[in-house]
Amino acid sequence: CMNHIFPASYAWGNFTVLAVGIWAIVQRDSLDAIMMFLTGLLLTVLTDIIHISVFYPPNNYLTDARRFSIGMAIFSLLLKPVSCYLVYRMYRERGGE
């Protein structure tokens, strides 16, 4: 994200979901906030897969900084299913069905 490999939509999508996640944690009694956060996480999984697959540079253009940025993007993508599971458990604890 910080090495300008991906377009601005990658950063805006992930930072927006992060903001909704903070709102969902602060609003302990809101099911809508946690549902929006879960939906946003699931949507960013799909968009992250698309961004990584479309904008992955060829090996000739991979510097150490770009390799690190792509590695962190892939690591974030791998952790999102765990985050989705934990957010779903929070949803169930708040009374969601």
Side-chain angles (χ1 to χ4, degrees):
C1 175
M2 302 311 258
N3 201 12
H4 305 291
I5 294 173
F6 301 119
S9 60
Y10 177 80
W12 278 104
N14 284 310
F15 290 143
T16 303
V17 170
L18 179 66
V20 172
I22 292 170
W23 173 53
I25 291 171
V26 170
Q27 292 282 328
R28 292 235 174 238
D29 57 343
S30 177
L31 280 176
D32 293 336
I34 200 77
M35 198 60 199
M36 284 178 59
F37 183 42
L38 183 60
T39 305
L41 274 175
L42 291 172
L43 200 81
T44 57
V45 168
L46 178 66
T47 58
D48 286 358
I49 291 170
I50 292 170
H51 278 110
I52 291 171
S53 63
V54 169
F55 294 103
Y56 193 87
N59 285 336
N60 302 346
Y61 299 107
L62 277 179
T63 61
D64 289 338
R66 287 183 177 211
R67 187 174 289 126
F68 178 77
S69 296
I70 291 173
M72 288 295 109
I74 292 170
F75 185 64
S76 171
L77 178 62
L78 291 174
L79 286 180
K80 281 188 182 179
V82 175
S83 299
C84 288
Y85 174 73
L86 294 174
V87 169
Y88 179 72
R89 286 193 51 196
M90 285 175 55
Y91 173 73
R92 297 288 295 200
E93 289 173 2
R94 293 184 185 186
E97 295 180 10

